Amino acid sequence: MSDTDLGAMDAGQLRALFESGKASPLEATRAALERIERFNEAVNAYVLVDREGAETAAAASNKRWQQGRPLSAIDGIPVSLKDLTESVGLPARKGSLTVSDAPCERDSPPARMLREAGAVILGKTNTPEFGWKAITDNRVFGATANPWDTRLTPGGSSGGAAVAAALNMGVLHQGGDSGGSIRIPASFTGVFGFKPTFGWVPEWPRSKEATLSHLGPLTRTVEDAVRMLNVMGRYDYRDPYALRGQPADWGEELGQGIEGMRIAFSPTLGYARVEPEVAECVRQAAHRLEALGAVVEEVDPGFESPIRIFNTLWFTASLAVYREHSERQRRLLDSGLVADAKRAERLSALDMFYALRDRARLTESLEHFNQRYHLVMTPSVAVRPFPLHHDVPPGSGMRDWEEWAPFSYPFNLSQQPAASIPCGFTPDGLPVGFQLAGGKHDDARVLRVSQAYLEAYPPTFPERPNQV
């Protein structure tokens, strides 16, 4: 395959080559590893690369394909895991100086399912400490840079996975999303990111605020996201919040078109401030969906900003993390995480009660809204990517990441499926994404509309990190 760049291919293309015998999983794995060698130094997406383990797994996949007995549609496909995700034989540092670098002795559900499907685990991608914020840096591995401009953040907390997807350093990338941690970096890097309905992709051990956390894929294509979900979007008894009822094929509605689909386009959700360059890209995407046959109506869902609800839960989870560490360990924690924990010390049991009550009301409101509209469309993020080593855009006057990412966490509170779809670039060449969210268990519909848009308006990816 000397005239074919295996490292630039998606999972469907690689599978076809494996079936025909024109290329092998070992060749595809080595191509992915070669891209990591070329690009990772500039962006710091991977914090661990398991070359030996990946080549061993790929060689075993070779034999299965030669025998015509692949384990799944992604047998031999190179994948990555977020460094919060446990995988046997690999450390999970979680971006924290308080966590051992000893290899894990157990597989999380995504790691187990991907391994059992024959996928080739390349290594672990970067995350902020315990995934606490929406940019990707930590005191263990440093910052991950945006491939479109390495002076800028790719967002977070699944920033390493998003950058790996943008540069195709591996094909399928597992992320996690408790307030936007898949969709925010997907938007900032120009890839597809999907947060499934809560409980449909099992997680264990559970994150500290378990009822906000969704696991999902970051990929270049919707089809690849579906291939990944068809493996890891299955029930696992170890997750106490795991649900059954996932579609047998997560892509069952792909290719059906979107004629007559009712989409509520809410440019601000009624309360957010959006940078004009971002707003213009997203509005153009709304016009494009309309041209594809959707019925797009500009309307707000009708709820106030739920930032108080989210921060009550989020800061309390930070406090739980803080208090589970010794005094010596606390000095090693990210100062921002500690600041959030201290803010939670002022909260009462009644504050938590009201937050849970208001969360239920928000969910009820959104579910009622989805009886009138199939999907809700918003920007994915309110701002463009901003410089590294800042939790908020410099000079913005903001304090918390939730202020510049007001569109994502409402759908973690409601536990509904949501995707970020790349929709173009600002005048200075930075990616923009729009968000599509659906009612609970409407995942196939979100994927269907995402696919229709990207099929009509294919995204552009960086050829290499842009080191300005």
Side-chain angles (χ1 to χ4, degrees):
M1 297 300 298
S2 59
D3 59 342
T4 302
D5 183 2
L6 296 178
M9 292 188 171
D10 64 25
Q13 292 169 317
L14 290 175
R15 179 188 178 188
L17 292 174
F18 298 165
E19 285 179 325
S20 67
K22 293 180 179 178
S24 71
L26 186 56
E27 290 172 311
T29 296
R30 287 174 173 165
L33 290 168
E34 191 272 332
R35 290 176 79 89
I36 295 172
E37 286 183 7
R38 275 196 288 149
F39 300 146
N40 198 57
E41 183 177 359
V43 293
N44 193 33
Y46 279 86
V47 297
L48 181 145
V49 178
D50 182 20
R51 174 178 285 275
E52 182 179 352
E55 291 193 350
T56 298
S61 180
N62 277 3
K63 293 180 181 178
R64 292 191 293 271
W65 279 105
Q66 289 167 359
Q67 296 167 356
R69 300 173 62 184
L71 297 173
S72 75
I74 63 167
D75 197 335
I77 302 298
V79 307
S80 74
L81 300 174
K82 188 174 180 177
D83 198 32
L84 301 180
T85 302
E86 296 192 10
S87 179
V88 169
L90 301 178
R93 290 299 304 272
K94 304 180 181 181
S96 181
L97 292 169
T98 69
V99 176
S100 167
D101 62 359
C104 295
E105 297 180 354
R106 57 190 181 183
D107 268 338
S108 63
R112 175 186 66 79
M113 293 173 180
L114 290 167
R115 200 188 306 278
E116 289 177 355
V120 175
I121 298 173
L122 298 171
K124 309 297 284 294
T125 56
N126 205 15
T127 177
E129 187 168 35
F130 303 118
W132 81 270
K133 60 182 175 179
I135 65 165
T136 301
D137 62 27
N138 60 66
R139 297 173 68 183
V140 182
F141 301 113
T144 297
N146 196 310
W148 293 98
D149 182 340
T150 56
R151 299 170 299 178
L152 307 179
T153 180
S157 64
S158 306
V163 172
L167 292 168
N168 226 43
M169 296 190 291
V171 181
L172 309 177
H173 306 276
Q174 175 259 320
D177 189 318
S178 294
S181 290
I182 287 173
R183 290 157 291 156
I184 293 165
S187 179
F188 273 9
T189 61
V191 301
F192 178 71
F194 182 66
K195 176 187 77 72
T197 291
F198 179 80
W200 266 10
V201 176
E203 177 182 0
W204 180 85
R206 266 276 164 190
S207 67
K208 194 60 65 179
E209 214 317 320
T211 67
L212 291 172
S213 183
H214 305 231
L215 302 186
L218 290 116
T219 56
R220 286 187 167 197
T221 70
V222 177
E223 297 98 325
D224 274 357
V226 165
R227 292 180 180 106
M228 199 171 190
L229 289 164
N230 279 341
V231 170
M232 68 182 196
R234 302 299 170 208
Y235 179 80
D236 188 296
Y237 74 92
R238 293 175 295 171
D239 181 351
Y241 295 97
L243 301 174
R244 300 184 188 272
Q246 302 90 331
D249 177 6
W250 283 71
E252 61 188 6
E253 294 188 19
L254 296 191
Q256 292 185 16
I258 62 173
E259 187 76 29
M261 193 75 69
R262 300 188 306 279
I263 298 177
F265 172 43
S266 181
T268 68
L269 284 180
Y271 54 79
R273 293 196 302 173
V274 183
E275 289 186 354
E277 300 90 342
V278 172
E280 179 57 32
C281 275
V282 175
R283 185 168 292 278
Q284 182 183 47
H287 293 320
R288 288 173 169 175
L289 285 170
E290 201 165 29
L292 291 172
V295 178
V296 179
E297 180 181 344
E298 189 165 331
V299 58
D300 296 326
F303 57 83
E304 296 180 353
S305 170
I307 192 168
R308 177 191 56 80
I309 305 170
F310 182 81
N311 282 347
T312 298
L313 301 175
W314 197 246
F315 294 165
T316 302
S318 296
L319 181 59
V321 170
Y322 178 77
R323 289 191 172 172
E324 289 172 5
H325 286 79
S326 68
E327 284 296 332
R328 182 191 67 80
Q329 290 176 317
R330 290 173 185 177
R331 292 192 290 271
L332 301 176
L333 294 172
D334 187 303
S335 60
L337 187 156
V338 173
D340 278 2
K342 295 293 185 181
R343 291 160 75 179
E345 289 180 334
R346 302 191 293 269
L347 297 171
S348 67
L350 192 58
D351 291 324
M352 180 61 75
F353 175 84
Y354 286 141
L356 295 174
R357 179 202 64 184
D358 294 343
R359 178 184 188 178
R361 290 176 176 174
L362 170 68
T363 304
E364 179 184 8
S365 173
L366 280 167
E367 284 291 304
H368 277 279
F369 192 69
N370 281 111
Q371 304 310 303
R372 290 185 282 139
Y373 298 95
H374 292 110
L375 299 173
V376 179
M377 178 185 183
T378 72
S380 295
V381 188
V383 300
R384 293 165 295 171
F386 51 86
L388 290 168
H389 311 299
H390 294 273
D391 292 349
V392 300
S396 66
M398 298 178 185
R399 177 177 180 179
D400 299 314
W401 64 264
E402 296 92 340
E403 295 175 71
W404 55 263
F407 297 104
S408 50
Y409 62 82
F411 300 99
N412 293 85
L413 290 168
S414 68
Q415 301 184 333
Q416 295 171 309
S420 179
I421 301 97
C423 62
F425 297 84
T426 63
D428 52 352
L430 298 177
V432 175
F434 71 91
Q435 177 175 245
L436 286 176
K440 286 185 180 180
H441 312 118
D442 286 342
D443 301 56
R445 181 180 293 159
V446 176
L447 293 165
R448 168 184 171 183
V449 178
S450 301
Q451 164 67 5
Y453 183 90
L454 290 180
E455 193 172 62
Y457 303 99
T460 300
F461 303 108
E463 294 184 5
R464 62 186 65 83
N466 184 23
Q467 298 174 275
V468 179

